[in-house]
Amino acid sequence: MAESVRVRFAPSPTGYLHVGGARTALFNWLFARQHNGAFILRIEDTDVQRSSEAMVQGILEGMHWLGLDPDEGPFFQSSFLEQHRAAALELVQEGKAYYDFTPKETADNRTVKEKIIDRARAAPNTGKAHNPYRDLPLEEAKRRIEAGEPAAIRLKVPEQGASRFDDMVYGLQERDYSDIEDLVLIRTDGHPLYNLSVVVDDIEMRITHVIRGQDHLTNTHKQVLIYEALGVPLPRFGHLPLINAPGKEKLSKRKHGEVVSVTTYRDRGFLPDALVNFLALLGWSPGTDQEIMSREELIERFSLEGVNKSSAIFNFNDTLARDWTDPKALWMNAEYLRAMPLSELVPMVAEQLKLAGLWREEYATTESEWLSRTVDLLRARYRTSVEFVTLGRPYFSDGFEFEAAAVKKNLKDERLKDLLPSLADRFEQIDPFSHDGAEAALRALSEEHGVKAGVLINAARTALTGQSVGPGMFDIVITLGRERTVERLKRAATLVNA
C-alpha cells in the first residue's frame, strides 16, 4: 500500500464506549498497525445537548484500558465549526450549493423515500421535487442574507446519474441521485450538519481509509457527493457489519445497558487482551480455526477481506450471575488467566482483594508465597479476576456463605454429623500435615465406617468452602491449613440435615 495509511475512530460522546464502538476502534487500530499508519481519535461532540465531558472521559478510559491509545488526538469536532462553515460557503460561491429560504414551519418532515413514493402516486415520472431556491441568483440570495433573512445551505445534488463507491467489505455500492434530497449542509441557525462536518474533518486530517459501521452506508453516499463537490479524492470506505443482541436486534446502549459497556468488562474482571481477542473475532475470521491470538498475531493477520458481511451476534444474558456475558468471551478470558505469568496475575488478584476488603498485609510479606500458590491453584477454575474474591472468598476469609444447593446435596447424610468432627480429629493428629497424609486419613476413616470416600470428600469440600465444586479436596485442605480446616469441619457438622 503506497499511500501512508491514516484511519480514525470518531465516536459521539453521548454514552460510554460500548463493545460495538470498541470493535470499530479495534479494527481501525489493527489496520493502522498492520500498514504502519496512524490511528486518530476524533470526538464528534457537536450534539451539545447529548454530549458531556463525563462521556468523553468514559470513551478515553475504555480505549486506554483496551490498549487502543491513538497516535493523534483526541481532537474535538466542535473545534472545527468555522472550517465546516467556510467549506459550505465556498460551495455556495462556486455554485455547487445554495441558500434555501424555505420557512421552517413549512418544512416537509417526510423522508426522501416517503416523498418520492407520494409523488409517484400523485404524478408518475415526475422525479425528485425541485427546490424553488436552487436556481435563485447568488446576488439576490446574498441580499436576502444581508437583510437578515434566515436560510439553510443545501448541496446541489445532480439530477441525473448515481453515487458510486467500492466498499472494501460490501463491494460496489450505488445509489441514484434521484433518491438523495439536496443535502442540508448548514442549518438556518448556522450549525453545520454531520455529513459536511465529517467530510471536512476527514479531509483536514488526511484520512485515507474510513472504517466504520454498516449503518453509515447511507451517509456515505451523501458524503461522496460532498467530497466530489469539494474536488477532493475519496478515501477508501469499509463498512463493518453490525453487532446484534441475542434476539438479533441491534445492540443498544439504551436498551441493553451496562453489559455492552467496555468498562463493565474491566470492572468485572476481564483482561484487556482477552476482550480485544474476543472483539476481533466478533465479525472477522483469520481464515483458520485458531481463536486465541496475541495482539501481534491479530495485527499480522487482520484484513478487511476477512470481515463477514452478516451481523455478528453478541450472546449475553445479564440475568445470570456468573454467565452474564457471551460464553466465548468468558471462556477466552479464562484461557488468558490460566496462561498469564503469576507475576502479573497475583498483583491483579491483590487489587481485587483490597477492593473486597479481604487484603491482609501478610500477603505482601510472610504469606506472599502462600498467596501465589493459592492464586495458581484457583485460576484453573475461574474465568474472571473478580471470581477470586467471590467464588474464592472462602480461601481468604472465614466469613463466607454456604451454597444452599451444595448443602442440600453434600450434607444430607445423617452420619456426617459424627464423621465431619471425627475427620477434624484425624487431621489434627497428622504429622506432618500434608496432601497425602490428609487423603490417607480421610480414606481410612471412610473405610472404618463403611462410607464411600466420595461421600466424605464431597461433604468435606462443602464444609471447607461452602461449595460443591472446586479444586481437589486435599489441595483445599493444604491451602487452608490445619487450623482452619479443623475448625470448619467441626462447624459444618451443625449444617447436616439442617
Side-chain angles (χ1 to χ4, degrees):
M1 194 168 294
E3 58 188 338
S4 178
V5 167
R6 293 174 63 81
V7 298
R8 48 66 163 185
F9 175 52
S12 298
T14 55
Y16 44 71
L17 180 64
H18 68 98
V19 294
R23 188 194 64 169
T24 298
L26 172 61
F27 283 10
N28 276 279
W29 184 86
L30 290 172
F31 191 83
R33 291 292 170 269
Q34 186 179 75
H35 296 290
N36 296 314
F39 172 58
I40 299 157
L41 175 61
R42 183 175 73 230
I43 305 295
E44 299 192 336
D45 62 337
T46 52
D47 187 342
V48 178
Q49 292 183 336
R50 296 181 62 209
S51 301
S52 73
E53 179 61 28
M55 294 301 180
V56 170
Q57 290 306 313
I59 291 170
L60 297 178
E61 196 177 316
M63 290 184 65
H64 179 69
W65 178 71
L66 287 172
L68 304 180
D69 292 316
D71 301 307
E72 299 176 23
F75 300 106
F76 293 86
Q77 193 171 69
S78 58
S79 303
F80 309 119
L81 293 180
E82 289 310 312
Q83 288 96 315
H84 306 158
R85 295 188 184 103
L89 292 174
E90 177 186 333
L91 293 175
V92 169
Q93 195 64 36
E94 294 175 353
K96 298 174 181 177
Y98 61 96
Y99 289 108
D100 179 9
F101 295 93
T102 303
K104 192 172 182 181
E105 58 270 18
T106 63
D108 192 339
N109 292 322
R110 291 174 298 162
T111 66
V112 174
K113 185 175 182 180
E114 289 169 340
K115 293 174 186 177
I116 292 171
I117 291 173
D118 290 345
R119 282 196 299 271
R121 287 171 178 165
N125 303 318
T126 56
K128 184 168 62 179
H130 187 81
N131 190 303
Y133 297 100
R134 179 176 170 122
D135 301 319
L136 186 70
L138 182 57
E139 295 74 16
E140 183 179 343
K142 285 183 175 179
R143 283 196 298 271
R144 295 176 70 164
I145 291 294
E146 290 169 2
E149 191 170 346
I153 295 179
R154 285 183 180 269
L155 182 74
K156 289 183 179 178
V157 176
E159 296 180 342
Q160 301 294 325
S163 161
R164 295 182 182 86
F165 65 91
D166 188 20
D167 191 81
M168 293 185 289
V169 175
Y170 289 94
L172 181 64
Q173 301 293 306
E174 294 185 292
R175 188 178 180 195
D176 289 342
Y177 291 146
S178 60
D179 290 339
I180 306 174
E181 192 79 16
D182 284 354
L183 309 177
V184 176
L185 304 178
I186 306 286
R187 289 199 301 241
T188 55
D189 62 4
H191 192 86
L193 266 69
Y194 169 78
N195 285 311
L196 172 67
S197 297
V198 74
V199 168
V200 173
D201 289 346
D202 283 347
I203 292 171
E204 181 67 24
M205 294 176 185
R206 309 189 314 282
I207 301 302
T208 61
H209 296 75
V210 175
I211 303 169
R212 59 188 177 189
Q214 183 255 359
D215 50 339
H216 281 284
L217 266 173
T218 299
N219 282 332
T220 301
H221 285 288
K222 299 173 183 178
Q223 291 163 21
V224 165
L225 288 167
I226 298 173
Y227 273 104
E228 292 173 345
L230 291 170
V232 178
L234 297 179
R236 293 293 309 278
F237 292 100
H239 290 83
L240 309 174
L242 301 180
I243 300 177
N244 288 341
K248 295 189 177 181
E249 58 187 344
K250 182 180 176 182
L251 206 62
S252 164
K253 304 177 201 175
R254 185 174 302 171
K255 182 167 185 177
H256 300 113
E258 292 185 353
V259 72
V260 302
S261 167
V262 166
T263 49
T264 294
Y265 290 79
R266 177 200 63 189
D267 297 342
R268 297 187 71 166
F270 265 69
L271 303 176
D273 283 348
L275 189 58
V276 162
N277 194 162
F278 171 72
L279 291 175
L281 297 177
L282 202 59
W284 169 76
S285 171
T288 68
D289 293 332
Q290 183 180 353
E291 293 190 299
I292 301 298
M293 303 176 71
S294 67
R295 287 180 192 248
E296 291 73 22
E297 289 174 309
L298 289 172
I299 290 170
E300 180 182 352
R301 300 173 65 177
F302 180 76
S303 71
L304 288 174
E305 287 76 17
V307 173
N308 300 322
K309 292 181 175 63
S310 56
S311 297
I313 303 295
F314 184 46
N315 288 304
F316 60 86
N317 187 343
D318 54 355
T319 62
L320 300 176
R322 194 177 178 215
D323 300 318
W324 55 279
T325 190
D326 195 295
K328 181 173 281 189
L330 289 166
W331 167 81
M332 195 167 281
N333 199 62
E335 291 295 307
Y336 273 82
L337 280 176
R338 282 191 277 274
M340 73 186 303
L342 267 178
S343 59
E344 296 176 15
L345 180 57
V346 170
M348 189 179 299
V349 174
E351 285 303 310
Q352 295 290 356
L353 291 171
K354 290 171 184 176
L355 289 171
L358 298 175
W359 178 255
R360 295 170 50 200
E361 290 306 319
E362 293 85 349
Y363 293 156
T365 55
T366 57
E367 294 186 18
S368 61
E369 187 178 339
W370 175 87
L371 178 62
S372 292
R373 288 199 315 269
T374 303
V375 169
D376 196 28
L377 174 68
L378 296 178
R379 68 165 159 178
R381 291 182 172 272
Y382 294 168
R383 296 181 295 179
T384 70
S385 63
V386 168
E387 289 185 342
F388 283 90
V389 297
T390 53
L391 296 176
R393 185 182 181 90
Y395 298 87
F396 303 102
S397 171
D398 290 327
F400 61 89
E401 294 183 0
F402 284 75
E403 296 175 358
V407 172
K408 183 177 180 180
K409 178 181 178 182
N410 295 328
L411 297 180
K412 62 183 179 181
D413 193 320
E414 189 73 26
R415 293 171 294 178
L416 292 170
K417 286 184 178 180
D418 296 322
L419 287 174
L420 289 176
S422 295
L423 182 61
D425 292 338
R426 298 289 177 97
F427 283 169
E428 278 189 306
Q429 297 167 16
I430 298 172
D431 187 21
F433 189 67
S434 65
H435 178 288
D436 292 345
E439 182 174 4
L442 182 144
R443 293 190 182 280
L445 181 65
S446 65
E447 188 174 343
E448 290 170 18
H449 290 267
V451 177
K452 289 183 179 179
V455 172
L456 197 50
I457 287 172
N458 291 333
R461 177 183 284 110
T462 298
L464 296 176
T465 66
Q467 299 162 8
S468 59
V469 296
M473 216 288 289
F474 304 107
D475 290 324
I476 295 173
V477 167
I478 298 307
T479 300
L480 292 177
R482 189 198 304 266
E483 184 178 340
R484 285 198 292 175
T485 295
V486 167
E487 192 278 329
R488 291 184 186 184
L489 287 172
K490 291 180 177 179
R491 183 178 62 183
T494 61
L495 296 176
V496 176
N497 273 335

